[in-house]
Amino acid sequence: MSFWPYFGLKRGIKTTSWPSAKEQSPGITPGRPRSASNASSNATTQLCPTGALHPVETGVSVDLTHCIHCQRCRQGPHALPWEDDVAWTVNAGTALSPLGYRFRRSLHVRYIDAGACGACINEARLLDAPVYNLHRLGIFITASPRDADVLLVAGPITNAMCTAVRKAYSAMPHPKRVVGMGVCAINGGIFGENFACVGGLQKIVPVDLWIPGCPPPPLAILHGLLAVVGRTQCTTAEELP
Amino acid sequence: MLYVLAYLLFASGPLLALLPGRRIPLIFAWITMTAGCVLMIVQGALAVGGPVEQSLIRWALPIIGTFDFVQTPLGGLLILITAVVFATALPFVTRDATVFSTGRRTLFLAIVMLTLVSMIGFFSASTIVSFIFSWELAALAIWGLITFETRHSKPVAAGLLTMALSELGSLVGLASLLLLAGAAGTTQLNGIAAAIPHLSPMLLLITGLLAFFGFGMKAGIVPLNVWLPAAHGTAPRSISPILSGATLNLGLYAFLRIDAPIALHQPDLGLVILASGALTALIGILYALVERDMKRLLAQSSVENMGIATAGIGAGLTFAAYGHPLLGGISMVAGLYHMINHSTFKTLLFLGAGGIEVATGTHNLDQLGGLMRRLPVLGGFFLAGAFAIAALPPFNGFVSEWLLLESLLRVVEIPVVPVRIAFAISGAVLALTSGLALTCFIMLSGSALMGLPRTAQAAGARRAPHSVVIPMGILTLLSLLLGLAATVIIPVLGRLAAPLVGADPTATLVPAFFHNTSRIPRAVQQALDAIGAHVGAVFMPVRSLIVMHLDSTAPVVYAMSAALTGVVLALMLGGVWLVARGLRRRRSSRNILWDAGLARLRPEMTYTATTFVAPVRVIFAGFFHPHIEVEEERQGAFVLTRSYRGVIANISDRAVLSPIIGGAMAIATLLARMHKGRMNTYAGYILLAMVLLLVIVAAGRG
């Protein structure tokens, strides 16, 4: 005899109500550093292993497209303030407007792992879990780019996957948008640009949005997908104090 | 007169081939033989519409008895079909004969003509002597055709298997004929039929079963069906259309001729025929699904189609035996119709397979692919044949299978429960067969014609010869006509079925009242009004097909209108065309093929015939009993190479022939122990035998 319906009903609905209400659960995001007018800016920037922190006149600026939230700048005497939000999406520079009204509740996403370490897919996988449940927002994962409106690419784009990404992009019907996910897709991340990978999705296909992060948490990915249809707004990549 | 002229033309074909020259004599030979076939088509058509019996030859031979040939409508129909099959296959036969030397090509054409002549003789035979004589002549000619190419060992082995099983079947059938003749006191087939009501039911059942299984062997009825794929698959490519399209009808006609009068007095016989037919159909299509060789696949599918036709005949005889001659007529018409259909589309498909073999040099499905681009016309006709054999409208296979399944449902009129169960199971098996046939022919046409070419041979296919493509076009047209003009064919077949089952179902199947509403019987009118059906000239402009039975409490009406089918198809095609036009005007983009992002789509990555039918293989694994043969190449203790090969043995081979062969071998081994090879032992045996004989004689005296 199985009691799961009873326990399930007893436990109630656990799906988050984000974005209509702010998500309050602890640990929903690793957080990211914010720029600060820090006196010892040189000491702070040397903490960063990926060169995301730059000293400027007024303090320390944060380049979020490089930050892998390793949390080294969170502790110690030169710590930067951290913030727990999920609005991470950044405009990648193409002048395409968000997809129109018809896509607001019917957005089909094709996910491609172009050499990612597995963290991004782990987070993207959670979108389908009961807590995040992307279907409530009218977003669906599809198997074929022929049905997809959005190409969601993670990883530093290894040479072997270049053809696949290009083919998937050209196989998509118009209108189409490309979202790069994770810092690897933006600039190679911790892999960089080397003999095995291109290091940057925009070198292969035109990119509309970036979701920085290593990996971006599920709500940040959702934020990016909603930004594709104009339901959320992009933020800036480079934070100046 | 026509017969004499036609036979002279048949004989002159091989003789003309004796003339020197490479192509010209064969063209002359083709013209004369085709003219002979056309004469036989005319003769057959005349016989179908002619009198019930017209004597052709009447010889009284010493010792063996009367040697008579008569012309009957049913025989005329079979002669007509045979002549059409030969006429469409002859261009390819003569084309392939150009590679032979003068002597061999004459022999080849002579054997082909002997096959035709012996078949015509068989369809006109009216005494046991002429029946068996033509049957054996045909068997001999067919064996000659199969083994004509003796460069390889395969055709020789297939020919020997065919000959062995053919002779086994003939002996069994002959035993039945002799038993009947002995009991009836005559060798005339009609005389035997007239004497049947006075014979004992047990004798009737035994002789009926012997005739069915013995003569049915030529049609590939289980259990003697293993020879068929071997023979038709290895026969010369130009011969396979004839073997499958024409010679299989020999078996159907033979057991129909002998068993039809018996089954009217012995209902169990009809049931056995029905069940065997359904079983044959299922076994045939299951083995067709796992074949990789196009010709063997088509041969297995012939087994299936013969099974369907046999089931129709069996159902018809059972209905008639239980006192429902009209229903019996419908089933019998369905069976005969399917026999005609099989001859058209199987000749078409085998010609297509031959054409593909000429163009690519292979008939292995896994080496073909993408032929639709290289051979568009042949591919189109081949696809039409596949449509027809998979029973898709508007082609002819649909009409006969639909009629058969509808008539099987009417078994509710027979109040005997075992009969109902047998019909229900047979109907279910036949329905399953239809579905599997569709899968099979999607697989065949898909893997041969669509997709990417899997080998260089397929990619570089040459032009298909006209001698194949033009006859294929004619047969496609024929198959379409047989599908659309069902209401014209059925009255003809109804007339042929009438003497077999005792009633002509034409009035039920193709009622005249669709021309004229005033001629609808009042009862029918009321029944149709009650169910809300309006009938009349406007509703169905051309004569329509209808299966109707008013005997039971509720009227049963199934209607099918060729005209309406045509209208609906035209509307659908028009609609599709309009939609396609509308779509083309809208903004569209052309894109690359989505292949999951491969660097290059290689043929070996695509679906093959084997993978397409893998679900069927898995579902029916218990039936197929696949096993893996391992071959090892050794050098001392080291295994150099090891190759695995999946083998599926035919169930008739496994369940029937292997035990028989095993038993015979066991007895032979036992007997071999007596043979020591020493003179003394044999002398001892002789002494022992003499002593035994003396004892027996002495005991007899005493």
Side-chain angles (χ1 to χ4, degrees):
Chain A
M1 189 69 194
S2 162
F3 289 103
W4 67 263
Y6 168 71
F7 288 118
L9 288 170
K10 197 178 143 196
R11 204 165 284 136
I13 296 172
K14 291 291 174 190
T15 306
T16 173
S17 50
W18 187 90
S20 52
K22 192 167 162 49
E23 180 59 49
Q24 301 286 357
S25 320
I28 202 78
T29 158
R32 3 182 246 180
R34 308 310 307 245
S35 59
S37 15
N38 199 322
S40 53
S41 55
N42 270 329
T44 313
T45 49
Q46 275 168 13
L47 290 173
C48 186
T50 57
L53 305 180
H54 302 290
V56 286
E57 287 170 18
T58 48
V60 179
S61 83
V62 181
D63 181 3
L64 292 172
T65 58
H66 280 83
C67 176
I68 58 167
H69 26 85
C70 62
Q71 317 225 355
R72 286 176 70 173
C73 60
R74 199 172 194 173
Q75 297 115 10
H78 311 296
L80 289 174
W82 275 52
E83 189 183 79
D84 283 359
D85 73 330
V86 290
W88 293 11
T89 315
V90 173
N91 205 318
T94 54
L96 294 173
S97 57
L99 289 173
Y101 179 77
R102 288 182 186 176
F103 293 92
R104 281 179 73 87
R105 293 221 164 253
S106 168
L107 188 73
H108 289 254
V109 180
R110 161 80 191 185
Y111 173 85
I112 296 184
D113 182 328
C117 63
C120 283
I121 183 68
N122 242 339
E123 302 295 310
R125 189 177 57 85
L126 284 173
L127 292 178
D128 213 2
V131 176
Y132 299 103
N133 190 9
L134 80 172
H135 301 112
R136 76 199 151 95
L137 299 166
I139 303 171
F140 307 92
I141 304 289
T142 166
S144 162
R146 280 268 192 265
D147 313 326
D149 310 307
V150 177
L151 194 64
L152 184 64
V153 185
I157 322 294
T158 53
N159 291 340
M161 283 302 285
C162 277
T163 320
V165 173
R166 268 199 212 101
K167 277 193 162 182
Y169 177 74
S170 56
M172 282 166 68
H174 289 283
K176 50 187 169 188
R177 298 287 183 272
V178 179
V179 178
M181 173 179 165
V183 294
C184 295
I186 302 173
N187 48 37
I190 59 166
F191 302 104
E193 186 181 334
N194 59 28
F195 68 96
C197 44
V198 179
L201 179 60
Q202 78 282 9
K203 294 174 188 165
I204 307 292
V205 291
V207 185
D208 299 285
L209 295 176
W210 297 123
I211 307 173
C214 192
L219 284 184
I221 303 170
L222 268 188
H223 182 270
L225 293 177
L226 290 174
V228 170
V229 286
R231 287 169 73 181
T232 52
Q233 297 306 313
C234 296
T235 56
T236 50
E238 182 89 32
E239 280 225 327
L240 292 172
Chain B
M1 257 334 280
L2 276 177
Y3 278 104
V4 177
L5 198 55
Y7 278 38
L8 281 178
L9 285 169
F10 291 151
S12 63
L15 290 178
L16 278 171
L18 277 173
L19 294 175
R22 192 155 166 272
R23 290 178 63 98
I24 306 293
L26 281 172
I27 291 174
F28 280 128
W30 171 68
I31 290 172
T32 55
M33 291 188 298
T34 307
C37 284
V38 171
L39 285 184
M40 284 322 296
I41 291 172
V42 173
Q43 180 64 45
L46 287 176
V48 169
V52 176
E53 203 167 302
Q54 191 181 354
S55 184
L56 296 173
I57 297 176
R58 197 170 272 281
W59 291 342
L61 298 180
I63 305 167
I64 55 175
T66 49
F67 189 73
D68 292 1
F69 290 94
V70 298
Q71 181 180 299
T72 57
L74 183 61
L77 175 77
L78 280 140
I79 290 172
L80 176 66
I81 301 171
T82 311
V84 168
V85 170
F86 271 83
T88 46
L90 272 179
F92 194 29
V93 170
T94 40
R95 181 197 175 277
D96 267 18
T98 49
V99 299
F100 298 136
S101 66
T102 315
R104 271 183 76 73
R105 77 188 182 197
T106 305
L107 181 65
F108 186 56
L109 294 182
I111 298 175
V112 172
M113 285 299 112
L114 181 67
T115 315
L116 176 56
V117 169
S118 59
M119 284 180 70
I120 292 172
F122 183 70
F123 296 140
S124 341
S126 76
T127 66
I128 288 178
V129 180
S130 52
F131 196 82
I132 284 295
F133 174 78
S134 331
W135 173 267
E136 288 296 333
L137 201 61
L140 204 62
I142 290 166
W143 171 74
L145 288 178
I146 293 167
T147 52
F148 196 78
E149 277 177 14
T150 47
R151 278 171 301 172
H152 312 292
S153 61
K154 260 186 169 180
V156 178
L160 285 177
L161 178 66
T162 308
M163 206 59 190
L165 288 185
S166 176
E167 285 315 304
L168 178 65
S170 309
L171 284 177
V172 172
L174 184 62
S176 146
L177 284 181
L178 292 179
L179 279 174
L180 280 173
T186 171
T187 60
Q188 295 281 344
L189 293 179
N190 286 346
I192 291 173
I196 274 168
H198 315 296
L199 301 181
S200 77
M202 200 58 207
L203 178 75
L204 286 183
L205 185 63
I206 290 170
T207 50
L209 287 178
L210 287 177
F212 172 63
F213 286 109
F215 291 127
M217 162 268 149
K218 263 264 178 301
I221 303 296
V222 286
L224 297 182
N225 60 343
V226 281
W227 65 275
L228 206 149
H232 293 197
T234 52
R237 62 193 178 201
S238 56
I239 293 304
S240 297
I242 293 174
L243 288 182
S244 212
T247 62
L248 291 180
N249 295 343
L250 282 172
L252 279 188
Y253 175 80
F255 79 75
L256 183 60
R257 185 77 203 257
I258 308 298
D259 278 359
I262 298 177
L264 292 184
H265 301 278
Q266 177 51 266
D268 297 345
L269 182 59
L271 274 185
V272 171
I273 295 177
L274 169 68
S276 303
L279 191 66
T280 305
L282 184 65
I283 288 180
I285 197 64
L286 280 176
Y287 283 108
L289 273 162
V290 295
E291 282 294 349
R292 293 291 67 82
D293 182 308
M294 200 160 31
K295 279 164 78 181
R296 283 181 66 93
L297 185 150
L298 289 174
Q300 293 281 19
S301 146
S302 290
V303 174
E304 175 232 338
N305 282 290
M306 283 296 119
I308 293 173
T310 306
I313 292 168
L317 295 176
T318 313
F319 273 130
Y322 278 99
H324 291 281
L326 268 182
L327 285 175
I330 296 175
S331 301
M332 184 62 79
V333 163
L336 292 177
Y337 208 137
H338 200 78
M339 182 181 74
I340 302 176
N341 291 343
H342 171 255
S343 288
T344 53
F345 51 60
K346 193 47 65 67
T347 313
L348 169 59
L349 286 170
F350 260 117
L351 278 175
I356 288 173
E357 197 186 334
V358 173
T360 63
T362 178
H363 44 85
N364 186 334
L365 275 181
D366 287 340
Q367 295 176 6
L368 296 170
L371 290 177
M372 203 68 182
R373 270 177 208 280
R374 311 281 306 183
L375 314 164
V377 184
L378 183 139
F381 292 147
F382 196 81
L383 210 56
F387 261 63
I389 201 167
L392 295 178
F395 291 98
N396 53 0
F398 173 73
V399 182
S400 48
E401 291 200 25
W402 177 81
L403 260 183
L404 176 60
L405 288 176
E406 292 292 13
S407 71
L408 286 184
L409 286 179
R410 299 312 309 143
V411 75
V412 289
E413 316 267 337
I414 299 179
V416 188
V417 174
V419 176
R420 287 185 178 186
I421 293 173
F423 267 66
I425 292 175
S426 302
V429 165
L430 286 175
L432 175 66
T433 306
S434 299
L436 290 173
L438 188 62
T439 316
C440 177
F441 282 91
I442 289 173
M443 180 268 275
L444 173 65
S445 45
S447 55
L449 302 175
M450 319 289 173
L452 292 172
R454 291 193 194 87
T455 52
Q457 293 162 299
R462 287 179 291 137
R463 198 175 53 82
H466 290 308
S467 55
V468 168
V469 176
I470 293 169
M472 280 179 82
I474 294 169
L475 286 166
T476 305
L477 197 68
L478 210 57
S479 158
L480 197 61
L481 278 179
L482 282 170
L484 287 179
T487 44
V488 182
I489 313 292
I490 282 175
V492 178
L493 294 181
R495 188 171 162 263
L496 300 185
L500 299 172
V501 293
D504 185 348
T506 307
T508 323
L509 279 174
V510 193
F513 58 71
F514 284 111
H515 298 292
N516 186 354
T517 327
S518 63
R519 279 167 63 186
I520 303 179
R522 179 161 289 277
V524 177
Q525 177 92 61
Q526 281 166 355
L528 289 178
D529 281 348
I531 56 172
H534 299 283
V535 288
V538 183
F539 179 52
M540 290 182 184
V542 182
R543 288 222 282 187
S544 300
L545 196 61
I546 199 158
V547 180
M548 184 168 46
H549 213 60
L550 293 170
D551 285 3
S552 49
T553 48
V556 182
V557 181
Y558 306 101
M560 190 188 97
S561 158
L564 269 191
T565 312
V567 169
V568 170
L569 270 178
L571 280 178
M572 279 165 65
L573 285 177
V576 167
W577 183 74
L578 278 179
V579 171
R581 243 179 86 91
L583 284 179
R584 203 180 303 144
R585 283 208 186 140
R586 286 173 56 175
R587 202 154 41 87
S588 63
S589 60
R590 291 183 74 81
N591 242 324
I592 53 155
L593 174 79
W594 172 241
D595 50 12
L598 298 167
R600 200 160 73 81
L601 186 65
R602 299 175 65 85
E604 50 269 39
M605 294 171 176
T606 58
Y607 236 20
T608 60
T610 314
T611 44
F612 186 83
V613 295
V616 180
R617 291 166 81 106
V618 171
I619 294 169
F620 292 95
F623 170 83
F624 288 127
H625 270 296
H627 65 278
I628 291 170
E629 273 182 5
V630 187
E631 276 176 34
E632 279 183 354
E633 192 186 334
R634 283 171 173 276
Q635 197 172 51
F638 295 101
V639 177
L640 295 177
T641 59
R642 177 178 287 161
S643 55
Y644 297 88
R645 201 159 60 89
V647 181
I648 290 178
N650 199 307
I651 192 162
S652 317
D653 226 347
R654 267 192 348 251
V656 182
L657 294 184
S658 291
I660 293 175
I661 294 169
M665 286 306 283
I667 293 169
T669 320
L670 207 65
L671 289 180
R673 283 200 195 162
M674 288 167 56
H675 295 270
K676 304 281 186 198
R678 277 188 310 211
M679 194 57 111
N680 307 355
T681 331
Y682 291 112
Y685 289 150
I686 292 169
L687 189 66
L688 207 64
M690 277 181 68
V691 170
L692 263 173
L693 272 175
L694 287 173
V695 168
I696 290 169
V697 169
R701 283 266 171 85

